[in-house]
Amino acid sequence: MTVFLSPVGGAAAQFFDNNGVPLTGGKLYTYAAGTTTPQATYTSNNGVTAHTNPIILDSAGRVPSGGEIWLSSVRYKFALYTSVNVLIATYDNIAGVGVLLPLNFTGTGSQVAFSISGNVISVYINGVYQNENTYSVSGSTLTFTQAPPYTSLIEILTN
């Protein structure tokens, strides 16, 4: 399985409580993005051995089993708790470093602006690559110079 290093806690990261103390015995739950459906993470770049869910942090507030978190090619939500289940933070819509994630839309024949997340790698309309002179990106909006045709498949690859 192809896996990608997590940008949250990925390699040798240390987690802390709200007072700056290492999060001994802290719990890092991993879910499918936007849900509370558990989603597996992996202990190494071979994607063979899954972490427990939650991942229980060691006495230094680090991820055990080599200190790495590897993700499959989907988006995740992480929830970080103390050892006594006090929520510290949640992080949603996380993708592994370098993963290409498609955003798919259907053309209306009049819509030119589309909400995106991540950096645009490439854009296709009905499978045809679009040169950068056919669209522009500003913040989290991709805007075509001309509306894609009605019922066209718009695929935007981001990372």
Side-chain angles (χ1 to χ4, degrees):
M1 170 191 306
T2 301
V3 292
F4 303 87
L5 190 62
S6 174
V8 175
Q14 189 174 22
F15 292 92
F16 300 91
D17 67 15
N18 290 329
N19 297 314
V21 176
L23 197 56
T24 301
K27 301 173 184 178
L28 184 63
Y29 290 86
T30 60
Y31 305 107
T35 74
T36 55
T37 303
Q39 181 72 42
T41 61
Y42 301 91
T43 61
S44 71
N45 65 350
N46 66 18
V48 172
T49 305
H51 277 290
T52 60
N53 197 353
I55 298 169
I56 306 298
L57 304 177
D58 67 16
S59 61
R62 291 190 170 93
V63 174
S65 303
E68 298 176 354
I69 301 174
W70 293 83
L71 309 177
S72 63
S73 59
V74 298
R75 293 185 188 266
Y76 285 76
K77 178 171 97 176
F78 288 0
L80 182 64
Y81 288 82
T82 67
S83 62
V84 293
N85 296 318
V86 175
L87 178 66
I88 293 178
T90 58
Y91 310 94
D92 205 353
N93 217 15
I94 298 167
V97 176
V99 69
L100 296 179
L101 295 169
L103 299 170
N104 294 308
F105 303 95
T106 302
T108 64
S110 60
Q111 181 180 359
V112 293
F114 296 84
S115 181
I116 60 170
S117 60
N119 298 312
V120 173
I121 302 301
S122 56
V123 177
Y124 298 87
I125 297 176
N126 289 331
V128 177
Y129 175 77
Q130 302 297 299
N131 292 322
E132 290 182 14
N133 62 351
T134 64
Y135 66 89
S136 62
V137 177
S138 177
S140 60
T141 302
L142 182 141
T143 304
F144 287 100
T145 56
Q146 201 172 27
Y150 179 70
T151 70
S152 59
L153 173 62
I154 304 157
E155 182 177 56
I156 303 169
L157 292 178
T158 64
N159 68 0

